[in-house]
Amino acid sequence: MQGEWPAAGVSSVRRRRGVPWVWWGLAAVLTTVSALTKLPCLRGGADTDRLATTQCYSDIPLFYVGRGLAADFGWFGHLLPGYRDLEYPPVVNLFIEASAHLTHLVRGIPQSELRDRRMLTEAGTYDLPGMAAEERTFFLLSCAGLLVAVLVALAAAWRAGWTVGDRLSWVAVAPLVVLTVTLNWDVVALAFAVLALVAWQRRQPALLGTWVALGTAAKLFPLVLLAAAVILLARPGSRRALAPVLTSFVVVTALANAPLLLSDRDAWSEFWTSNADRPSYFGSAWLALRMVGHPVGAETLSLVLAAGMLLTWLALAALTWTRRIEPTLAELSLVFLLVFFALGKVYSPQYSLWVVLGLLVVTRSHRLVLLVAAAETWHYVATWLYIRGMTTPEQGIDRTYWSSIALRLAAEGLVVVLVLLRARRRAAEARGASPAPEPPTATDPVSRAR
């Protein structure tokens, strides 16, 4: 691709070959430890104080019985009548369905038994002999699939020459990785986000749009990469790359959504309707406001989020196009992501994984990484203490949980400020390095005017 190509913002050396065995080994250890720490919450453990004392919560095992996946069900949204549709975009939906079908295969459950389970209630299925082992198998197979996504992301980053973080930074974020990596299915979308950054680094606009589309079909967050890419590529010298980025994104988005949309429109729309109707929820700034007596309605929250993201995009686009700031793709994407988290209706605990990994990509500041990792980890721990009522007084608000939200928001706000200040310094340095203007000649109107 000819013309000016903005930087990815990822520290890198020349491309490597081979396999990152050491990083793969560390990833396998962290993912395995994460999966093992979630086991105490299986079979109702999440409804006891173990939720807080062992920090063992995971969404994943709850879906096997709770969504009818332990019985014979169809692909692409065709769950059993009476069960709620999966509230995730199509790629994660497919991942969950595949994990359940693989569980049936690994456990050797006869098809006749799976059909008979269709007649049982959720409670009846839960109490079946051997169901505890099935749930555990479903969870562990899902974790194995998540590990595969992690290994793919690491291999892509390794071969692209990335040098993300250092030993001290990774020691700081490792506990949070263990707590969050098997909590939900975000790692699938994170892998696509890494592949998109690698495509940008290699100046492959069509591939960038492809990976962002697949990532958005897993979780919505990789869309920030497209928002940032449009700003950077809309400047003179880079505009030719816009068409392949947008075209591939639209085409792959349509292809990724089509099977679920055509198979079951209600299942496809569950993600959108559940998020639109959701009130202020755990971890959000809006919940903090509600806790002190200032609730905001769900419709207003949706409007604020949409308007806030649009205004943020316009402001950052104007600053970038006028060369007031010179951000990289990673920096701009992280700012968008943190603004989205600040304005969103919910801040699920696994969102911390996006924050710390994104931070490792854009900075090598140990102090900043330690500060943000500490704030995110404390908020994670405080969430489960709050849910179990361990820090809630008999009267008044839970100051422990409320302050953890405020601390986390302050740390994320600091990241936004520092990233934009660095982009501003970069722009000033670029202006200072530009060639000085030619001195006026005798025939120059300016010279004559003097």
Side-chain angles (χ1 to χ4, degrees), residues 145-217:
L146 297 178
L147 177 58
V148 171
V150 172
L151 299 183
V152 169
L154 285 174
W158 171 267
R159 294 179 70 84
W162 288 16
T163 54
V164 176
D166 55 23
R167 292 179 182 177
L168 182 58
S169 296
W170 279 105
V171 168
V173 305
L176 196 59
V177 171
V178 169
L179 289 169
T180 56
V181 72
T182 60
L183 191 151
N184 199 275
W185 294 271
D186 288 62
V187 167
V188 177
L190 272 166
F192 286 124
V194 169
L195 293 171
L197 272 172
V198 170
W200 178 274
Q201 181 182 354
R202 294 179 175 176
R203 304 189 177 195
Q204 299 171 318
L207 205 52
L208 168 72
T210 297
W211 294 130
V212 171
L214 290 173
T216 306

Side-chain angles (χ1 to χ4, degrees), residues 56-407:
C56 60
Y57 182 78
S58 174
D59 288 320
I60 297 172
L62 304 179
F63 277 62
Y64 188 64
V65 173
R67 300 304 172 87
L69 303 178
D72 182 32
F73 68 95
W75 291 90
F76 300 114
H78 287 286
L79 303 185
L80 303 183
Y83 287 90
R84 180 187 173 187
D85 290 317
L86 303 177
E87 65 273 27
Y88 294 102
V91 170
V92 168
N93 273 16
L94 186 60
F95 185 100
I96 296 171
E97 292 173 354
S99 299
H101 283 298
L102 184 59
T103 299
H104 301 165
L105 183 64
V106 169
R107 300 293 304 182
I109 306 171
Q111 193 65 32
S112 58
E113 182 178 342
L114 292 173
R115 285 194 298 269
D116 291 341
R117 291 180 182 180
R118 294 173 62 92
M119 308 303 296
L120 299 176
T121 63
E122 180 180 342
T125 304
Y126 185 86
D127 291 333
L128 285 174
M131 187 53 62
E134 282 188 43
E135 280 187 330
R136 188 166 55 250
T137 301
F138 171 76
F139 173 64
L140 294 177
L141 287 174
S142 298
C143 292
L146 297 178
L147 177 58
V148 171
V150 172
L151 299 183
V152 169
L154 285 174
W158 171 267
R159 294 179 70 84
W162 288 16
T163 54
V164 176
D166 55 23
R167 292 179 182 177
L168 182 58
S169 296
W170 279 105
V171 168
V173 305
L176 196 59
V177 171
V178 169
L179 289 169
T180 56
V181 72
T182 60
L183 191 151
N184 199 275
W185 294 271
D186 288 62
V187 167
V188 177
L190 272 166
F192 286 124
V194 169
L195 293 171
L197 272 172
V198 170
W200 178 274
Q201 181 182 354
R202 294 179 175 176
R203 304 189 177 195
Q204 299 171 318
L207 205 52
L208 168 72
T210 297
W211 294 130
V212 171
L214 290 173
T216 306
K219 292 274 183 160
L220 203 58
F221 308 138
L223 195 60
V224 298
L225 289 163
L226 182 67
V230 169
I231 289 176
L232 295 175
L233 294 179
R235 298 183 297 184
S238 306
R239 291 172 180 163
R240 289 178 56 190
L242 261 178
V245 169
L246 295 176
T247 301
S248 60
F249 174 79
V250 171
V251 171
V252 176
T253 296
L255 292 175
N257 282 268
L260 183 60
L261 177 61
L262 296 176
S263 175
D264 191 323
R265 182 179 293 271
D266 290 338
W268 177 84
S269 65
E270 177 66 22
F271 168 75
W272 303 102
T273 55
S274 63
N275 281 281
D277 298 337
R278 170 183 278 174
S280 57
Y281 208 55
F282 292 121
S284 69
W286 311 109
L287 176 64
L289 286 175
R290 193 175 76 190
M291 290 173 71
V292 294
H294 300 287
V296 183
E299 292 184 359
T300 302
L301 293 180
S302 297
L303 181 61
V304 169
L305 177 59
M309 292 306 297
L310 177 59
L311 291 174
T312 300
W313 189 91
L314 292 173
L316 292 177
L319 291 171
T320 302
W321 293 339
T322 57
R323 303 289 180 173
R324 301 292 180 86
I325 61 174
E326 197 66 45
T328 65
L329 179 71
E331 290 173 340
L332 210 50
S333 300
L334 182 60
V335 169
F336 279 130
L337 188 67
L338 294 179
V339 171
F340 183 90
F341 286 156
L343 298 177
K345 298 178 181 181
V346 63
Y347 187 84
S348 295
Q350 74 271 14
Y351 293 176
S352 295
L353 189 62
W354 291 86
V355 175
V356 295
L357 295 184
L359 184 61
L360 287 177
V361 169
V362 304
T363 187
R364 298 185 70 83
S365 169
H366 292 145
R367 284 181 293 183
L368 185 58
V369 171
L370 287 170
L371 173 65
V372 174
E376 297 287 341
T377 303
W378 171 236
H379 174 261
Y380 183 97
V381 173
T383 297
W384 310 113
L385 295 174
Y386 170 71
I387 289 174
R388 292 303 304 168
M390 291 185 171
T391 53
T392 305
E394 293 183 4
Q395 293 182 342
I397 67 170
D398 189 325
R399 296 182 182 275
T400 300
Y401 184 55
W402 191 94
S403 61
S404 76
I405 296 175
L407 179 63

